[in-house]
Amino acid sequence: MLAQVRIQYEDFSQDEEINALKSASKRMGGIGTFLGCARDFSEGRDVSEISFDAYGSMALSEMNKLRSDAIEKFDLLDARIVHRIGTVKGGDNIVFIAAGAERRVAALEACRWMIDELKQRVPIWKKEITPQGDAWVVPHP
Amino acid sequence: MIRVLFFGPVAERIGANSIQVEYRQGMLLQELRDELAAFHSRAFEIVSLVALNGEHVRDMALPLADNSEVVFMSKFSGG
């Protein structure tokens, strides 16, 4: 069984993550998911690849705290967070978040909250590689 | 020794992923920042977050212990 919170180079399967989430409880009536993907165009430039750097130990620790905080705040039955590092191309998966709750509102709100918090709390940086050169991404609100 | 780590855009501006700084009794986090910023001003222009031993810290008056791990970080852009 894959861990509920992971940082990994390889791609992930949304189906496997959702099945793992569902296996946590049969009381789960709603699952909210967020899939973040690599865009091949940004700030008016073509983007050929995106590479990630991470303070791995702290990033994993913060993602685990984030999951625990979300479970407590939204009374979730379970939650999963997977973030890729390394280099990805346009269209590739970057991050997957899933929140399972008895009702849909908690699942959807928790999912939105987790991706917003992840961007603030988890030490991961991405660099866009373009024909005009490389540039670290300035975070958007 | 204090182990100082850099990632992403800060590491690129410093030109290194880590450096070692000699520990001094009573050394404060702010003093470490000031010393490094004096040599790496371009990198520290974008530093807005600090971690001490893997935890976010805001209090720059914190004293450092020998063998601490400090990370000076720019805003995150994961996700």
Side-chain angles (χ1 to χ4, degrees), chain A residues 53 55 65 83 124 126-127, chain B residues 8 12 55 69 74 77-79:
Chain A
D53 195 10
Y55 179 17
K65 277 190 224 164
H83 200 301
I124 297 177
K126 64 179 165 229
K127 177 196 265 185
Chain B
E12 193 167 277
E55 300 281 344
E69 180 177 278
S74 62
S77 56

Side-chain angles (χ1 to χ4, degrees), chain A residues 90-115:
Chain A
D92 285 354
N93 295 330
I94 295 175
V95 61
F96 183 72
I97 292 177
E102 288 192 25
R103 305 281 180 185
R104 69 184 185 282
V105 172
L108 290 168
E109 288 182 354
C111 189
R112 170 68 187 265
W113 182 83
M114 281 193 281
I115 184 60

